[in-house]
Coordinates of all heavy atoms in Angstrom, one line a residue:
L1 N 46.7 -69.1 -48.2 CA 45.5 -69.1 -47.3 C 44.2 -68.8 -48.0 O 43.2 -69.3 -47.8 CB 45.8 -68.1 -46.2 CG 44.7 -68.0 -45.1 CD1 44.6 -69.3 -44.4 CD2 45.0 -66.9 -44.1
L2 N 44.3 -67.9 -49.0 CA 43.1 -67.5 -49.8 C 42.6 -68.7 -50.6 O 41.4 -68.9 -50.6 CB 43.5 -66.3 -50.7 CG 42.3 -65.6 -51.4 CD1 41.4 -65.0 -50.4 CD2 42.9 -64.6 -52.4
A3 N 43.5 -69.4 -51.2 CA 43.1 -70.6 -52.0 C 42.5 -71.6 -51.1 O 41.5 -72.3 -51.4 CB 44.3 -71.2 -52.7
Q4 N 43.1 -71.8 -49.9 CA 42.5 -72.7 -48.9 C 41.1 -72.3 -48.5 O 40.2 -73.1 -48.4 CB 43.5 -72.8 -47.7 CG 42.9 -73.7 -46.5 CD 43.5 -73.3 -45.2 OE1 42.8 -73.2 -44.2 NE2 44.8 -73.1 -45.1
A5 N 41.0 -71.0 -48.2 CA 39.6 -70.5 -47.8 C 38.6 -70.7 -48.9 O 37.4 -71.0 -48.6 CB 39.8 -69.0 -47.4
R6 N 39.0 -70.6 -50.1 CA 38.1 -70.8 -51.2 C 37.6 -72.2 -51.3 O 36.4 -72.5 -51.4 CB 38.7 -70.4 -52.6 CG 37.8 -70.5 -53.8 CD 38.5 -70.1 -55.0 NE 37.6 -70.0 -56.2 CZ 37.4 -71.1 -57.0 NH1 38.0 -72.2 -56.7 NH2 36.6 -71.0 -58.0
Q7 N 38.5 -73.2 -51.1 CA 38.1 -74.6 -51.1 C 37.2 -74.9 -50.0 O 36.3 -75.7 -50.1 CB 39.4 -75.4 -51.1 CG 40.2 -75.3 -52.4 CD 39.4 -75.7 -53.7 OE1 38.7 -76.7 -53.7 NE2 39.5 -74.9 -54.7
V8 N 37.6 -74.4 -48.8 CA 36.7 -74.6 -47.6 C 35.3 -74.1 -47.8 O 34.3 -74.7 -47.5 CB 37.4 -74.0 -46.4 CG1 36.5 -74.1 -45.2 CG2 38.7 -74.7 -46.0
A9 N 35.2 -72.8 -48.4 CA 33.9 -72.2 -48.6 C 33.1 -73.0 -49.6 O 31.9 -73.2 -49.4 CB 34.1 -70.8 -49.0
L10 N 33.7 -73.4 -50.7 CA 33.0 -74.2 -51.7 C 32.5 -75.5 -51.1 O 31.4 -76.0 -51.4 CB 33.9 -74.5 -52.9 CG 34.2 -73.3 -53.8 CD1 35.2 -73.6 -54.8 CD2 33.0 -72.7 -54.4
G11 N 33.4 -76.2 -50.3 CA 32.9 -77.4 -49.6 C 31.8 -77.2 -48.7 O 30.9 -78.0 -48.6
A12 N 31.8 -76.1 -48.0 CA 30.7 -75.8 -47.0 C 29.4 -75.5 -47.8 O 28.4 -75.9 -47.3 CB 31.1 -74.6 -46.2
I13 N 29.5 -74.8 -48.9 CA 28.3 -74.5 -49.7 C 27.6 -75.8 -50.1 O 26.4 -75.9 -50.2 CB 28.7 -73.6 -50.9 CG1 29.1 -72.2 -50.4 CG2 27.5 -73.5 -51.9 CD1 29.6 -71.3 -51.5
E14 N 28.4 -76.8 -50.5 CA 27.8 -78.0 -50.9 C 27.0 -78.7 -49.8 O 26.1 -79.5 -50.0 CB 28.9 -79.0 -51.3 CG 29.6 -78.6 -52.6 CD 30.7 -79.6 -53.0 OE1 30.8 -80.6 -52.4 OE2 31.4 -79.3 -54.0
H15 N 27.3 -78.4 -48.5 CA 26.6 -79.0 -47.4 C 26.0 -77.9 -46.5 O 25.8 -78.1 -45.3 CB 27.6 -79.8 -46.6 CG 28.4 -80.8 -47.3 ND1 27.9 -82.0 -47.7 CD2 29.7 -80.8 -47.8 CE1 28.7 -82.7 -48.4 NE2 29.9 -82.0 -48.5
Q16 N 25.5 -76.8 -47.1 CA 25.0 -75.7 -46.4 C 23.7 -76.0 -45.7 O 23.3 -75.3 -44.8 CB 24.9 -74.5 -47.2 CG 24.0 -74.6 -48.4 CD 23.9 -73.4 -49.3 OE1 23.7 -72.3 -48.8 NE2 24.2 -73.5 -50.6
D17 N 23.0 -77.1 -46.2 CA 21.7 -77.4 -45.6 C 21.9 -78.3 -44.3 O 20.9 -78.7 -43.7 CB 20.8 -78.1 -46.6 CG 20.4 -77.2 -47.7 OD1 20.3 -75.9 -47.4 OD2 20.3 -77.6 -48.9
Y18 N 23.1 -78.7 -44.0 CA 23.3 -79.6 -42.8 C 23.0 -78.8 -41.6 O 23.5 -77.7 -41.4 CB 24.7 -80.0 -42.8 CG 25.0 -81.2 -42.0 CD1 24.9 -82.5 -42.5 CD2 25.4 -81.1 -40.6 CE1 25.1 -83.6 -41.7 CE2 25.6 -82.2 -39.8 CZ 25.5 -83.4 -40.3 OH 25.7 -84.5 -39.6
P19 N 22.1 -79.3 -40.7 CA 21.7 -78.5 -39.5 C 22.9 -78.2 -38.6 O 23.6 -79.2 -38.2 CB 20.7 -79.4 -38.9 CG 20.2 -80.3 -39.9 CD 21.4 -80.6 -40.8
P20 N 23.1 -77.0 -38.2 CA 24.2 -76.7 -37.3 C 24.1 -77.5 -35.9 O 25.2 -77.9 -35.4 CB 24.1 -75.2 -37.1 CG 23.4 -74.7 -38.3 CD 22.5 -75.8 -38.7
A21 N 22.9 -77.6 -35.4 CA 22.8 -78.3 -34.2 C 23.2 -79.8 -34.3 O 23.9 -80.3 -33.4 CB 21.3 -78.3 -33.7
L22 N 22.9 -80.4 -35.4 CA 23.3 -81.8 -35.7 C 24.9 -81.9 -35.8 O 25.5 -82.8 -35.3 CB 22.7 -82.4 -36.9 CG 22.8 -83.9 -37.2 CD1 22.3 -84.7 -36.0 CD2 22.1 -84.3 -38.4
L23 N 25.4 -80.9 -36.5 CA 26.9 -80.8 -36.6 C 27.6 -80.7 -35.3 O 28.5 -81.4 -35.0 CB 27.3 -79.6 -37.5 CG 28.8 -79.4 -37.7 CD1 29.4 -80.6 -38.4 CD2 29.0 -78.2 -38.5
A24 N 27.1 -79.9 -34.4 CA 27.6 -79.7 -33.0 C 27.5 -81.0 -32.3 O 28.4 -81.4 -31.5 CB 26.9 -78.6 -32.3
E25 N 26.4 -81.7 -32.5 CA 26.2 -83.0 -31.8 C 27.2 -84.1 -32.3 O 27.8 -84.8 -31.5 CB 24.8 -83.5 -32.0 CG 24.5 -84.8 -31.3 CD 23.1 -85.3 -31.6 OE1 22.2 -84.4 -31.8 OE2 22.8 -86.5 -31.5
H26 N 27.4 -84.1 -33.6 CA 28.4 -85.1 -34.2 C 29.8 -84.8 -33.8 O 30.6 -85.7 -33.7 CB 28.2 -85.1 -35.7 CG 27.0 -85.9 -36.1 ND1 26.7 -86.1 -37.5 CD2 26.0 -86.5 -35.4 CE1 25.6 -86.8 -37.6 NE2 25.1 -87.1 -36.3
L27 N 30.1 -83.5 -33.6 CA 31.5 -83.1 -33.2 C 31.7 -83.2 -31.7 O 32.8 -83.0 -31.2 CB 31.7 -81.6 -33.6 CG 31.8 -81.4 -35.1 CD1 32.0 -79.9 -35.4 CD2 33.0 -82.1 -35.7
K28 N 30.6 -83.6 -31.0 CA 30.7 -83.8 -29.6 C 31.2 -82.6 -28.8 O 32.0 -82.6 -28.0 CB 31.5 -85.0 -29.2 CG 31.0 -86.4 -29.7 CD 31.9 -87.5 -29.3 CE 31.2 -88.9 -29.6 NZ 30.9 -89.0 -31.0
L29 N 30.6 -81.4 -29.3 CA 31.0 -80.2 -28.7 C 30.3 -80.0 -27.3 O 29.1 -80.3 -27.2 CB 30.7 -79.0 -29.6 CG 31.4 -79.0 -30.9 CD1 30.9 -77.8 -31.8 CD2 32.9 -78.9 -30.8
T30 N 31.0 -79.5 -26.3 CA 30.3 -79.2 -25.1 C 29.4 -78.0 -25.2 O 29.8 -76.9 -25.6 CB 31.4 -78.9 -24.0 OG1 32.3 -80.0 -23.9 CG2 30.8 -78.7 -22.6
R31 N 28.2 -78.2 -24.9 CA 27.2 -77.1 -25.0 C 27.3 -76.2 -23.8 O 27.3 -76.6 -22.7 CB 25.8 -77.7 -25.1 CG 25.5 -78.6 -26.3 CD 25.8 -77.9 -27.6 NE 25.0 -76.7 -27.8 CZ 23.9 -76.7 -28.5 NH1 23.4 -77.8 -29.0 NH2 23.2 -75.6 -28.6
D32 N 27.4 -74.9 -24.1 CA 27.5 -73.8 -23.2 C 26.4 -72.8 -23.5 O 26.5 -72.2 -24.6 CB 28.9 -73.2 -23.2 CG 29.1 -72.1 -22.1 OD1 28.1 -71.7 -21.6 OD2 30.2 -71.7 -21.9
S33 N 25.5 -72.7 -22.7 CA 24.3 -71.8 -23.0 C 24.7 -70.3 -23.1 O 23.9 -69.5 -23.6 CB 23.3 -71.9 -21.9 OG 23.8 -71.6 -20.6
S34 N 25.9 -70.0 -22.7 CA 26.3 -68.6 -22.8 C 27.0 -68.2 -24.1 O 27.3 -67.0 -24.3 CB 27.3 -68.3 -21.6 OG 28.6 -69.0 -21.8
R35 N 27.2 -69.2 -25.0 CA 27.8 -68.9 -26.3 C 27.3 -69.8 -27.4 O 26.8 -70.9 -27.1 CB 29.3 -69.0 -26.2 CG 29.8 -70.5 -25.9 CD 31.3 -70.5 -25.8 NE 31.8 -69.7 -24.7 CZ 33.1 -69.5 -24.4 NH1 34.0 -70.1 -25.2 NH2 33.5 -68.8 -23.4
P36 N 27.4 -69.4 -28.6 CA 26.9 -70.3 -29.7 C 27.8 -71.5 -29.8 O 29.0 -71.5 -29.4 CB 27.2 -69.4 -31.0 CG 27.2 -68.0 -30.5 CD 27.8 -68.1 -29.1

């Protein structure tokens, strides 16, 4: 799990400038004003 987390974190760092709002939109997440 630790090795998996390292790879996930490194991959996320490569794309850390991607706007979270755009990511939520592309994932088609239901927006709920009561939570992030």
